[in-house]
Amino acid sequence: MPKIDLAKAFDRIKWNFIASTLARKGLHAHFINLVHACISSPNLLVIINGQSFARFKSSKGIIQGCPLSPSLFVFPVNELYLAL
């Protein structure tokens, strides 16, 4: 059985895969759109020794520390596991 590196998967899950997984679970499209808006709109800031250096927009992955993150990670990983 293949081995999945979950530490890397957390940062690399594509947002459209999360949305399609939620749709396959039967969740309402409006809810999926709200979740997508939450995970696809963060601006990230690099802070080193208390000084901000760079601001950039995330393009994939799930933001660590977000209350939705654990659930949004489990749904797609479970689907990948079932596909093996």
Side-chain angles (χ1 to χ4, degrees):
M1 179 174 279
K3 196 173 186 180
I4 299 173
D5 186 350
L6 294 179
K8 289 182 181 178
F10 195 83
D11 294 329
R12 297 172 193 258
I13 292 177
K14 294 192 177 185
W15 297 327
N16 61 351
F17 183 62
I18 294 171
S20 63
T21 301
L22 295 175
R24 281 191 289 279
K25 292 291 182 188
L27 296 171
H28 193 275
H30 181 68
F31 176 76
I32 295 170
N33 290 337
L34 289 173
V35 168
H36 190 270
C38 288
I39 64 174
S40 66
S41 62
N43 289 313
L44 307 172
L45 180 64
V46 176
I47 299 175
I48 301 174
N49 295 329
Q51 186 176 5
S52 58
F53 283 92
R55 183 178 298 269
F56 59 96
K57 189 168 172 77
S58 180
S59 62
K60 62 183 174 182
I62 303 172
I63 303 300
Q64 296 180 14
C66 173
L68 288 173
S69 295
S71 297
L72 294 178
F73 181 68
V74 168
F75 280 120
V77 169
N78 185 48
E79 192 162 306
L80 288 173
Y81 177 76
L82 293 174
L84 295 177

